[in-house]
Amino acid sequence: MTSPTSLEKSRSAWRFIAAATIATMIGITTAAGQTAAPIQVPGPIVASGARLEKLFDGGFWTEGPAVGPDRRIYFCDITMTFATGMDAGNIWVFDPATNKTSIFRSPSGMAAGIKFDREGRMIVAQGADFGGRSIVRTDSKTGRTTIIAALYKGRPFNAPNDLDIDDQGRIYFTDPRYFGHEPVEQPIQGVYRLDTDGSVHLILADVARPNGIVISPNQKTLYVAELDSLVSDFRIDKVPQRNGNMRLLAYDLAADGTASNQRVLADYGSEIGPDGITVDARGNVYAAVSAASRRGVRVYAASGEEIAYIPVPDEPAVSNVALATRDGRTFLYMTAKNSLYRIETLIPGR
């Protein structure tokens, strides 16, 4: 029988291997975490004198922050089983009133993305690696959870990653695969729309590996982050590797929920590109970018012009973003490796 000490050493080794492997796969370097410092960001996005605050650093791979109806910040913790001794994933919640973070749900079904609908229900994209590979909805009053999408044409999804909800209540979600032992049964890594009648529609198949997704405030543009590592499981041998397409894409979004007319808002070349994305009320797009040259959050006007860059120093990856307004002040929340950050900004979210 393996001793507790040996097991913990094994877990620690796998944690190190996982972090190093992910860094290699996406072209980033690891760095020791440090206390966040005040930063100055010129332009119309960040409040004058704002401070980048580290709020939490107790996760494994944090993702998918979202503002709940209670104004608390919910975020995912993807605990890759091969690196954590079979941890089953978590959803954490940060309370701005107390500055405390606690577990909201564990196991999480390997939750990777969260949104709340107009009724205050939590909608979660569950990934692979012993996860749900589905979209689930939790009633905030009863706590009961319902699977609302798990199959397309009779086959399981790859690993639903991120999602957004339009004004009609339709859910748009991405379905890539980055890791997990389960077979990949969908012929493409697509973007889907889940209608209010429960029907699921493939709307995009021209994105190599779709990740973050968000809808513009006027509901006429769909933004998709293309983050293609060219592998479907990080646990591969050390061989020559490179990234595929790393782009922030925009599409025309029709009233019937179809998307067309792909255009490139930003191309990151051989560097790691955009992961999670969000928009503010003026239509600016905020992209979490782990490119080693300028790691942090890049903010783009709808035209594609970069109008701000918010550095997140001393982190190997910045994974996702969300805007939250409380007591008249707006904050940009950012997940980065095992942490949650925030900085005060000037424009509320959509």
Side-chain angles (χ1 to χ4, degrees):
M1 179 180 291
T2 303
S3 70
T5 301
S6 298
L7 180 60
E8 183 54 39
K9 287 181 178 179
S10 176
R11 288 184 177 184
S12 297
W14 269 113
R15 287 189 180 101
F16 175 81
I17 292 169
T21 302
I22 295 164
T24 300
M25 293 303 300
I26 62 177
I28 58 180
T29 56
T30 57
Q34 298 178 358
T35 303
I39 58 173
Q40 292 295 326
V41 178
I45 298 300
V46 175
S48 177
R51 180 184 181 87
L52 182 65
E53 302 173 79
K54 179 183 281 190
L55 307 170
F56 168 82
D57 63 0
F60 179 78
W61 194 270
T62 54
E63 259 281 10
V67 188
D70 56 3
R71 313 315 299 169
R72 297 191 298 172
I73 309 302
Y74 296 77
F75 60 99
C76 306
D77 185 9
I78 305 173
T79 57
M80 302 168 192
T81 59
F82 67 92
T84 61
M86 299 300 289
D87 285 0
N90 309 303
I91 295 177
W92 295 88
V93 58
F94 169 76
D95 188 344
T98 63
N99 285 333
K100 301 291 185 181
T101 303
S102 58
I103 287 284
F104 172 75
R105 177 181 296 168
S106 185
S108 69
M110 285 301 173
I114 304 171
K115 285 291 185 296
F116 289 86
D117 66 14
R118 290 193 171 186
E119 296 179 43
R121 298 174 299 187
M122 175 185 276
I123 315 296
V124 176
Q126 297 182 327
D129 193 29
F130 299 96
R133 297 168 67 189
S134 59
I135 306 297
V136 301
R137 182 177 62 210
T138 301
D139 188 298
S140 58
K141 296 178 181 178
T142 66
R144 293 184 175 180
T145 298
T146 303
I147 299 169
I148 56 176
L151 304 172
Y152 180 69
K153 294 191 174 180
R155 299 175 180 177
F157 293 117
N158 300 319
N161 182 277
D162 206 353
L163 69 163
D164 200 9
I165 306 171
D166 71 12
D167 287 350
Q168 298 184 44
R170 298 175 297 194
I171 300 167
Y172 298 75
F173 65 95
T174 57
D175 186 40
R177 173 67 73 85
Y178 294 104
F179 64 94
H181 71 283
E182 299 90 340
V184 175
E185 299 183 53
Q186 291 295 337
I188 52 92
Q189 302 196 39
V191 178
Y192 296 86
R193 187 188 73 244
L194 171 59
D195 287 350
T196 55
D197 64 3
S199 60
V200 179
H201 307 269
L202 176 67
I203 63 168
L204 291 175
D206 62 349
V207 187
R209 203 174 302 252
N211 195 296
I213 187 168
V214 72
I215 300 165
S216 64
N218 66 6
Q219 306 288 287
K220 293 183 178 181
T221 305
L222 179 70
Y223 297 102
V224 179
E226 185 176 43
L227 185 70
D228 187 13
S229 59
L230 292 179
V231 298
S232 295
D233 196 322
F234 291 128
R235 295 170 293 179
I236 67 171
D237 295 334
K238 291 185 177 181
V239 295
Q241 302 161 29
R242 68 176 179 85
N243 290 324
N245 290 338
M246 296 286 176
R247 305 183 297 176
L248 179 58
L249 305 173
Y251 294 84
D252 294 337
L253 186 62
D256 64 0
T258 56
S260 62
N261 187 28
Q262 184 196 91
R263 50 202 180 274
V264 179
L265 223 63
D267 191 328
Y268 301 83
S270 61
E271 286 201 293
I272 187 68
D275 194 333
I277 53 179
T278 194
V279 292
D280 65 27
R282 296 181 188 172
N284 300 311
V285 184
Y286 298 62
V289 179
S290 293
S293 60
R294 288 192 304 139
R295 187 171 300 133
V297 178
R298 303 186 196 184
V299 186
Y300 301 92
S303 64
E305 176 191 2
E306 184 177 317
I307 58 175
Y309 163 60
I310 304 169
V312 181
D314 304 316
E315 291 288 356
V318 182
S319 57
N320 216 323
V321 285
L323 287 162
T325 299
R326 182 186 179 96
D327 299 329
R329 300 172 66 188
T330 297
F331 290 88
L332 176 68
Y333 286 84
M334 298 157 277
T335 49
K337 184 136 187 330
N338 64 347
S339 302
L340 178 70
Y341 289 84
R342 75 177 175 190
I343 191 168
E344 188 172 1
T345 51
L346 298 172
I347 308 171
R350 186 190 75 204

